Amino acid sequence: QVQLVETGGGLVQPGGSLRLSCAASGSSFRVNDMAWYRQAPGKQRESVASISSTGRTTTYTDSVKGRFTITRNNRAERVMMYLQMNSLNPEDTAVYSCNNKTISTNDAWGQGTQVTVSS
């Protein structure tokens, strides 16, 4: 059964840090490239970071380069993926979700985790 659970969000002041976690259950995640996405109010969902199935290759959108770090741990029962976010600013405020890097029509989404950067 495919299940995605994101945790770790919260309210943080500008310049602060958060570490998001994603628990991805389902055999396909272990062999898939995965990504963290975010959706701010009134905006489309965007990919902010991706990681290859082995964890060796990572990519970042320009706005988070040097501030965010994506990692993953392919456990037997699930994939754990993380997003370390440093030097947060108000523009990082969004709901963060995890999923495959390539999204198909039938891919399910988790509830996401809210990140709010505000003083």
Side-chain angles (χ1 to χ4, degrees):
Q1 181 180 359
V2 173
Q3 186 179 28
L4 293 159
V5 179
E6 301 92 347
T7 57
L11 173 64
V12 63
Q13 291 187 341
S17 298
L18 283 173
R19 186 185 191 226
L20 306 184
S21 297
C22 165
S25 301
S27 59
S28 65
F29 289 117
R30 283 201 298 274
V31 298
N32 289 347
D33 296 352
M34 294 187 68
W36 279 99
Y37 300 83
R38 69 184 180 188
Q39 187 167 19
K43 294 187 177 181
Q44 288 191 332
R45 181 185 286 133
E46 63 169 340
S47 171
V48 296
S50 67
I51 188 166
S52 62
S53 59
T54 61
R56 294 194 187 104
T57 302
T58 58
T59 62
Y60 301 90
T61 194
D62 286 345
S63 62
V64 308
K65 281 181 182 176
R67 300 189 299 120
F68 290 12
T69 302
I70 186 172
T71 57
R72 69 187 286 168
N73 183 344
N74 292 339
R75 299 178 180 177
E77 69 279 9
R78 69 176 64 90
V79 173
M80 293 300 301
M81 188 168 68
Y82 306 96
L83 188 67
Q84 177 67 43
M85 305 187 297
N86 299 326
S87 302
L88 286 162
N89 58 62
E91 289 70 38
D92 297 316
T93 295
V95 176
Y96 285 72
S97 302
C98 59
N99 215 319
N100 292 311
K101 181 179 180 180
T102 300
I103 300 297
S104 65
T105 305
N106 296 327
D107 277 345
W109 290 85
Q111 290 190 330
T113 185
Q114 175 70 48
V115 172
T116 303
V117 185
S118 175
S119 55

